Structures are given as C-alpha cells and as structure tokens.
C-alpha cells in the first residue's frame, strides 16, 4: 500500500510540474498588442494632423505625411528612393515602421469613399504577434480598427497593387496582413 500511495504522489507531482512548466507565456503577446494599440492611435493621429492642416484624403500616403513633416523624425519612409519626382504610384506604395516595432504600415486613399482612408498593416516581421497570428490579426482588426477607430477590418486583403485599390490574393486571417478602412 505505501508503494501505491508513493506512486500516486509521484505521478501527481510530475503532472503538476509538467502542466505548470510549459504553460504559455502571454506577456509577450500582451505587450505587442499594447504596442499595436498605440501604433494605430499614432497613425490615425498623423492622418488627423494631415487633414487638419489642409491635406486631402484622396491623395494621402506615407510619403505625403513624411514630406509634410507630420511623421516622427525617427521614422523612415520605405523605399528610401521615393522623392518629389517619383510617380504617384511609387508614392502610394511607400511604407513606414514606427520606432521600436517591426510592424509595417502603409496608408492609401480609399477610392470607394473620399471621406476615408485605408491602412495596410503587415505584422509578419513581429515574432511576438505572429506567434499567435490568428489571435493577433483578429484582435487588432476588431479592437483597434473597428472599435477604437470606428473602421472596418478586412482580414483577407493582403496586397495593394496600385491600380484597383486592394486585391485579395489568397490572404487568410492568420497571414499577419490585413486592411483597416477608417472613416473621417
């Protein structure tokens, strides 16, 4: 009998150690999602500043925001070969990464509604967000795009081709790319 009790205690102890030791660490994803909330707010703030200073939502893009001095001084515009002589399409395809982040942001006019703009959010370079890609994409779309900015999240749109606004080329809700349409 003592052998049986000792065996049960050993098994219970081993199971307790196993189950508690490999518990998922949610602190990384929580921190990354908090950064996403701040970044969505910053991007919308840049757009608000642009509109308040006389900017037009029908031509808005990252290049225009940077050129007008609205972006933070430590934010770069990619590709860095785009300048005033570049074509409108080249300017539309510019992106930026906010400081201390790996998330790529692209702002594009909404051809369907001149009182709104679209944000293409690319989280693929963020290991923390991509560790739970389905959750990150859905949560960011719902909480930050739809609830905070009163926008519309389109989770399967994953590519801007420059001619027909956005296209769905097989995007999924776990590929780390989505589009947020924000109405002003």
């Amino acid at each position: 009998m003592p052998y049986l009790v000792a065996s049960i205690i050993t098994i219970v102890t081993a199971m307790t150690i196993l189950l508690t030791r490999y518990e998922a660490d949610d602190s990384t994803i929580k921190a990354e999602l908090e950064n996403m909330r701040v970044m969505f707010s910053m991007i919308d703030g840049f757009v608000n500043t642009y509109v308040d200073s006389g900017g037009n939502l029908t031509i808005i893009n990252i290049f225009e925001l940077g050129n007008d001095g609205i972006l933070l001084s430590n934010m770069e515009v990619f590709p860095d070969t785009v300048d005033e002589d570049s074509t409108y399409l080249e300017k539309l395809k510019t992106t930026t990464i906010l400081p201390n982040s790996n998330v790529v942001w692209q702002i594009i006019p909404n051809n369907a509604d001149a009182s709104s703009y679209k944000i293409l959010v690319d989280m693929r370079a963020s290991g923390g967000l991509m560790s739970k890609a389905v959750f990150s994409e859905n949560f960011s779309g719902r909480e930050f795009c739809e609830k905070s900015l009163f926008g519309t999240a389109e989770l399967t749109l994953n590519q801007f081709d420059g001619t027909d606004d956005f296209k769905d080329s097989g995007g999924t809700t776990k590929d780390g790319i989505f589009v947020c349409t924000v109405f002003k």
Side-chain angles (χ1 to χ4, degrees):
M1 185 69 157
Y3 177 75
L4 180 63
V5 173
S7 296
I8 291 172
I9 291 172
T10 304
I11 291 171
V12 169
T13 304
M15 293 293 288
T16 304
I17 291 171
L18 251 168
L19 293 175
T20 58
R21 183 172 215 163
Y22 295 106
E23 193 173 295
D25 179 19
D26 290 340
S27 61
T28 301
I29 192 75
K30 286 178 182 176
E32 291 285 339
L33 288 172
E34 178 60 22
N35 285 341
M36 284 294 288
R37 184 190 64 74
V38 170
M39 289 185 282
F40 262 99
S41 179
M42 286 177 70
I43 293 292
D44 191 52
F46 295 147
V47 172
N48 287 340
T49 301
Y50 177 76
V51 170
D52 290 346
S53 63
N56 187 343
L57 283 178
T58 61
I59 62 168
I60 194 168
N61 57 64
I62 294 292
F63 176 82
E64 291 295 327
L65 295 177
N67 197 39
D68 289 352
I70 294 173
L71 298 178
L72 300 174
S73 60
N74 57 348
M75 290 175 65
E76 295 183 54
V77 174
F78 302 101
D80 56 5
T81 57
V82 176
D83 59 21
E84 280 297 325
D85 297 329
S86 298
T87 66
Y88 178 67
L89 180 57
E90 290 171 324
K91 291 176 183 177
L92 276 180
K93 290 186 175 183
T94 56
T95 62
T96 192
I97 299 174
L98 280 85
N100 302 319
S101 172
N102 293 326
V103 178
V104 178
W105 299 84
Q106 184 176 5
I107 299 176
I108 299 151
N110 184 7
N111 293 337
D113 184 353
S115 65
S116 64
Y117 68 97
K118 293 192 176 200
I119 307 170
L120 177 68
V121 182
D122 184 348
M123 305 181 296
R124 292 178 296 179
S126 173
L129 292 171
M130 291 306 290
S131 68
K132 296 184 180 183
V134 173
F135 176 75
S136 298
E137 195 168 327
N138 283 305
F139 187 84
S140 295
R142 184 182 66 249
E143 294 297 320
F144 308 136
C145 175
E146 293 176 355
K147 288 184 179 177
S148 295
L149 300 181
F150 303 106
T152 304
E154 299 168 85
L155 302 179
T156 60
L157 296 182
N158 63 353
Q159 178 176 325
F160 174 68
D161 69 3
T163 58
D164 65 350
D165 206 11
F166 286 90
K167 71 179 186 181
D168 183 353
S169 61
T172 66
T173 58
K174 61 181 179 184
D175 61 3
I177 304 172
F178 68 95
V179 174
C180 176
T181 303
V182 182
F183 301 92
K184 291 291 173 190

